[in-house]
């Protein structure tokens, strides 16, 4: 409901229109992330407590990942019932981290109700939610300054672009332990470096998908081909691009291929 009733798209021909989640966004991401509960609603926790703590989503370019993650950031900031929530967007550099943050800020500017609740400081990429003292901040890649966080949400964009595991390790290992239902959400296009942190997280996600590892708190979502599949097959293009014919057309894809 937050997406379609409050949030709007920010770019191109969809700018200003309600954020109607595409089927893959709704059923493979949003409903599992926020709808699968470890503890059912109670007097103490009227919304229940979420089960999913970490998500790895790998998907090709132009399938709508930036606006989806921006919406998740707003959910964690102002619609999650968390007092003093700290939400961070991180990437290989601050410019990349700022992309999601800027989209979130524009979504808020598009909705007067949201703008009454927040203070947006573009110069430092910081959004404060007045009601709970929560904030949403874009981080640079300056690793030594990233200790001491008490994170409720971490949005990690383009994990494949990380030069090493330092930023991932600092933001994901121990920084969320004081939160009741934290979320680490990594979304990325595919990389090529099999020594990278992205490959290691991907390998873990694949093992969860295949049932080799039993981790009910980890949500793997991978739109990619196996190594023995034909990358020139249109059937495979459709399989790994769930926003095909919604955001871009098959004919556009054919032109890029040619």
């Amino acid at each position: 409901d937050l997406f379609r009733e409050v949030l709007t798209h920010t770019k191109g021909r969809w700018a200003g229109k309600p954020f109607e989640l595409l089927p893959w966004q709704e059923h493979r991401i949003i409903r599992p992330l926020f709808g699968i509960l470890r503890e059912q609603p109670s007097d103490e926790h009227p919304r229940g407590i979420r089960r999913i703590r970490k998500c790895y989503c790998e998907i090709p370019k132009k399938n709508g990942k930036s606006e989806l993650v921006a919406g998740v950031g707003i959910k964690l900031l102002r619609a999650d019932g968390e007092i003093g929530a700290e939400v961070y967007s991180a990437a290989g550099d601050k410019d990349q981290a700022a992309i999601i943050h800027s989209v979130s800020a524009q979504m808020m500017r598009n909705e007067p109700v949201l703008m009454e609740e927040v203070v947006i400081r573009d110069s430092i990429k910081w959004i404060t939610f007045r009601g709970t003292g929560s904030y949403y901040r874009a981080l640079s890649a300056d690793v030594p300054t990233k200790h001491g966080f008490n994170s409720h949400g971490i949005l990690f964009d383009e994990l494949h672009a990380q030069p090493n595991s330092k930023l991932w390790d600092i933001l994901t290992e121990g920084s969320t332990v004081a939160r009741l239902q934290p979320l680490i959400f990594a979304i990325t296009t595919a990389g090529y470096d099999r020594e990278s942190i992205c490959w290691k997280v991907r390998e873990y996600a694949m093992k969860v998908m295949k049932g080799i590892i039993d981790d009910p708190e980890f949500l793997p979502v991978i739109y990619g081909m196996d190594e023995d599949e034909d990358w020139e097959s249109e059937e495979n293009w459709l399989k790994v691009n769930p926003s095909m014919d919604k955001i871009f057309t098959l004919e556009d894809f054919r032109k890029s291929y040619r």
Side-chain angles (χ1 to χ4, degrees), residues 62-218:
K62 303 306 178 186
N63 277 275
K65 69 180 180 66
S66 294
E67 299 226 339
L68 176 67
V69 182
V72 171
I74 295 174
K75 158 68 176 168
L76 295 170
L77 174 70
R78 58 85 65 186
D80 218 25
E82 184 75 9
I83 303 300
E86 298 176 23
V87 181
Y88 301 100
S89 61
D93 57 54
K94 191 167 186 177
D95 289 340
Q96 183 68 37
I99 291 175
I100 292 173
H101 194 274
S102 296
V103 173
S104 297
Q106 187 58 47
M107 285 180 176
M108 293 178 182
R109 290 189 172 99
N110 288 353
E111 176 49 61
V113 171
L114 290 180
M115 282 304 294
E116 292 176 1
E117 300 174 343
V118 300
V119 176
I120 300 174
R121 290 180 283 176
D122 289 314
S123 61
I124 57 173
K125 302 301 178 186
W126 195 304
I127 301 171
T128 303
F129 178 48
R130 293 190 181 100
T132 61
S134 302
Y135 63 83
Y136 175 14
R137 175 185 171 196
L139 298 177
S140 70
D142 185 12
V143 173
T145 67
K146 301 301 176 295
H147 295 276
F149 290 154
N150 183 10
S151 308
H152 175 62
I154 297 168
L155 311 174
F156 221 114
D157 191 25
E158 297 296 19
L159 185 59
H160 80 277
Q162 286 299 301
N164 53 57
S165 69
K166 290 181 180 179
L167 184 59
W168 173 264
D169 292 343
I170 287 172
L171 291 179
T172 63
E173 294 182 5
S175 72
T176 63
V177 294
R179 297 291 181 175
L180 186 65
Q181 50 177 4
L183 177 63
I184 298 166
F185 186 18
I187 193 164
T188 186
T189 49
Y192 60 87
D193 181 0
R194 300 195 179 204
E195 300 300 321
S196 67
I197 182 60
C198 185
W199 179 260
K200 292 175 183 177
V201 177
R202 184 188 199 275
E203 287 286 274
Y204 186 89
M206 291 295 295
K207 290 177 181 177
V208 174
M209 286 180 67
K210 294 176 180 179
I212 299 170
I213 293 177
D214 179 20
D215 186 348
E217 296 186 354
F218 191 102

Side-chain angles (χ1 to χ4, degrees), residues 45-64:
H45 304 295
R47 303 172 188 223
I49 298 174
R50 293 195 301 271
R51 192 182 79 190
I52 301 300
R53 295 288 185 266
K54 188 178 291 185
C55 174
Y56 174 83
C57 177
E58 180 183 299
I59 192 163
K61 294 179 179 180
K62 303 306 178 186
N63 277 275

